[in-house]
Amino acid sequence: MLCDAIRYAGATLKSVISLDRIRFIFSRLREHLWARPLAICLLSIGAAFIAKLADDTGLSQFAPSIAPESIETLLSIMATSMLVIATFSVGSIVAAYASASSTATPRSFGLVVADDVSQNALSTFVGAFIFSIVSLTEVKNNYFQAAGLFILFILSAIVFGIVIITFVRWVDSIARLGRVGSTIDKVEKAASAALKRRHNDPTLRSVPVQTREGGHAVFAAVVGYVQYIDIAVLQTWAEKAGVHVVVAALPGTFVAPGRPLAYIHADDGEESGIDCKHLPDSFKIGSDRLFADDPRFGLVVLSEIAGRALSPAINDPGTAIDIIGTLLQLFALWSEPAAERDEPAAKYDRVEVHEISVRDMFDDAFTAIARDGAGMVEVAVRLQKALNSLASIGNADMRDAARYHGQLALKRAEIAMEVAEDLAMVRQAATFTEKNAAL
């Protein structure tokens, strides 16, 4: 009976499609430059044929007469100009991608690609080109009657207006796309969304990890980063198999064939007969970390941007100071009370998930800044002030983490700084951090 249930559960892992998986798929599609233009192209082709439907109605009796030559002229202008603008927009976007990778960090590439304004602009230009080509072919072959020509003229005017508005908005956006400030804003937005989602669901709507020993370990079959875990599918499998699943690799964890993804605990204590070969399918593993389900990745990327700004080649402490303020805002967001939910907090009672460690988050955020900015008094003082603010928030874990990193940053400053007055300023700022951490 148990074996039959386990075999059925293994098939369930492949057949169940959860809402979280659909969200993950759509978030990945946003990072592909071809997805939105393809959808707009299909919509444009459909719009070009919609005008034909008007010929089957009585609209021809009331519609004004439109000369086919005027529509051909408008569509010809649109067709020749849109291809040039689309090519120009692709070149500008590629240049912005290169700028973001060189001035900020290559890890921000996915966010720059997913920029809505740029994708909408490229989709609009390509869609207008396809619409004009299809419509021009139809007009030259006398595909429309009077009503169809009138509707096509209106559609052409609407498309032309959308192109003008999109181009104006896009010119303003492309001037900022790829700049360090714009990239920081995008990373902050992505990190904030991931932190909010995890703060409201610290165990991904499952239950916290109980004290368990042993268990059947399930290993990854490939090498890479865990990008997403389909908890709903794990719950369905666990219910059918009569087991509990302890997730050992959260999103962002680097896994290999020797690194356990999860541990299985059977209700009857017999883990040896469990077939878990389909369980790794619930873990999406890829070569890169993603922002959506990995809150720590946003902190890592912000820290990388600050580290590059503090390098001798760039020497831009102002950017590092800006990022320290951004990190302070993100951790303040993490310390706020979790939002109330209508559904039960533990929706998946057969899956156990670890909560994110605040100390690990502080390590991701502040280690590189404290190391690379140890010799710069303005960065070191601002870092101590930020840690002072976080230590005063009231959360015990955050106070301990702020105290530890404050002491560590002070040790690095004592080694790197040669001017006694600069070091005295850092020590004074660190004293306030010690007082708040002791409260």
Side-chain angles (χ1 to χ4, degrees):
M1 182 70 69
L2 178 61
C3 293
D4 292 340
I6 292 173
R7 283 193 293 269
Y8 177 77
T12 303
L13 276 171
K14 291 188 174 182
S15 60
V16 173
I17 299 179
S18 64
L19 294 178
D20 283 341
R21 183 178 290 271
I22 295 176
R23 175 189 60 81
F24 174 78
I25 293 174
F26 274 100
S27 67
R28 294 295 290 149
L29 284 176
R30 290 185 67 247
E31 298 181 5
H32 292 282
L33 199 57
W34 56 265
R36 196 173 302 183
L38 176 61
I40 296 299
C41 287
L42 297 177
L43 182 62
S44 301
I45 295 174
F49 285 93
I50 286 177
K52 179 61 178 178
L53 300 177
D55 290 330
D56 298 330
T57 65
L59 183 62
S60 57
Q61 301 177 2
F62 308 98
S65 178
I66 302 295
E69 293 78 11
S70 62
I71 300 181
E72 290 181 8
T73 302
L74 178 61
L75 293 175
S76 298
I77 295 174
M78 192 182 304
T80 54
S81 60
M82 284 304 99
L83 184 60
V84 175
I85 295 177
T87 304
F88 168 73
S89 66
V90 171
S92 301
I93 293 173
V94 171
Y97 297 162
S99 175
S101 298
S102 60
T103 60
T105 172
R107 259 63 63 187
S108 63
F109 177 78
L111 295 179
V112 179
V113 172
D115 179 68
D116 289 333
V117 177
S118 298
Q119 287 204 7
N120 289 338
L122 180 60
S123 303
T124 301
F125 301 151
V126 175
F129 173 74
I130 298 298
F131 171 81
S132 58
I133 290 297
V134 174
S135 300
L136 185 62
T137 303
E138 293 172 340
V139 171
K140 285 185 173 294
N141 287 276
N142 299 320
Y143 184 70
F144 298 107
Q145 299 177 13
L149 289 174
F150 174 69
I151 297 299
L152 183 62
F153 177 79
I154 293 177
L155 290 176
S156 301
I158 293 175
V159 170
F160 194 76
I162 293 175
V163 167
I164 296 298
I165 296 174
T166 301
F167 183 78
V168 172
R169 291 184 65 239
W170 176 71
V171 167
D172 181 71
S173 174
I174 199 64
R176 299 177 176 85
L177 187 65
R179 302 296 185 264
V180 176
S182 175
T183 304
I184 292 175
D185 292 339
K186 292 182 182 301
V187 176
E188 178 187 4
K189 183 178 179 181
S192 176
L195 285 170
K196 284 182 180 179
R197 188 179 302 112
R198 183 59 62 85
H199 185 50
N200 294 332
D201 292 316
T203 58
L204 304 178
R205 286 179 288 175
S206 61
V207 297
V209 175
Q210 309 296 325
T211 303
R212 295 175 181 266
E213 295 182 358
H216 178 71
V218 180
F219 298 94
V222 296
V223 177
Y225 292 96
V226 177
Q227 297 176 338
Y228 163 76
I229 304 174
D230 200 329
I231 304 294
V233 175
L234 287 178
Q235 172 73 15
T236 302
W237 180 84
E239 289 176 350
K240 299 297 182 181
V243 300
H244 284 78
V245 180
V246 180
V247 175
L250 291 175
T253 303
F254 185 77
V255 296
R259 174 69 160 82
L261 293 175
Y263 293 94
I264 308 301
H265 297 269
D267 294 345
D268 57 4
E270 294 292 335
E271 288 93 6
S272 58
I274 300 178
D275 181 9
C276 303
K277 64 180 181 180
H278 295 299
L279 188 141
D281 295 340
S282 299
F283 292 78
K284 172 60 178 177
I285 300 175
S287 58
D288 301 312
R289 296 177 69 174
L290 303 179
F291 289 91
D293 296 282
D294 184 5
R296 292 177 56 186
F297 185 47
L299 303 177
V300 170
V301 173
L302 287 171
S303 181
E304 286 184 355
I305 297 175
R308 176 168 291 189
L310 292 172
S311 65
I314 298 179
N315 192 22
D316 181 17
T319 295
I321 292 174
D322 184 25
I323 288 179
I324 291 175
T326 299
L327 293 172
L328 176 59
Q329 294 177 2
L330 293 176
F331 279 109
L333 175 67
W334 181 265
S335 65
E336 294 178 356
E340 297 182 359
R341 304 179 62 93
D342 296 333
E343 58 184 10
K347 182 178 180 181
Y348 308 114
D349 57 350
R350 285 188 170 270
V351 182
E352 301 175 12
V353 175
H354 291 276
E355 296 185 15
I356 296 180
S357 169
V358 175
R359 175 65 68 86
D360 291 341
M361 295 169 64
F362 269 67
D363 292 342
D364 296 331
F366 297 114
T367 299
I369 299 176
R371 180 196 65 222
D372 298 333
M376 301 181 181
V377 61
E378 64 270 39
V379 176
V381 170
R382 183 59 64 91
L383 178 59
Q384 292 291 346
K385 289 181 178 180
L387 294 172
N388 173 45
S389 299
L390 294 176
S392 64
I393 287 179
N395 183 284
D397 293 337
M398 194 166 291
R399 286 200 305 270
D400 293 341
R403 179 180 182 181
Y404 170 77
H405 277 272
Q407 294 174 343
L408 197 59
L410 179 59
K411 290 181 180 179
R412 290 191 169 101
E414 290 174 343
I415 297 174
M417 288 187 180
E418 299 178 353
V419 180
E421 288 79 4
D422 290 346
L423 185 57
M425 294 175 61
V426 179
R427 284 173 175 167
Q428 183 180 6
T431 302
F432 288 104
T433 303
E434 286 289 326
K435 290 180 179 180
N436 282 322
L439 295 177

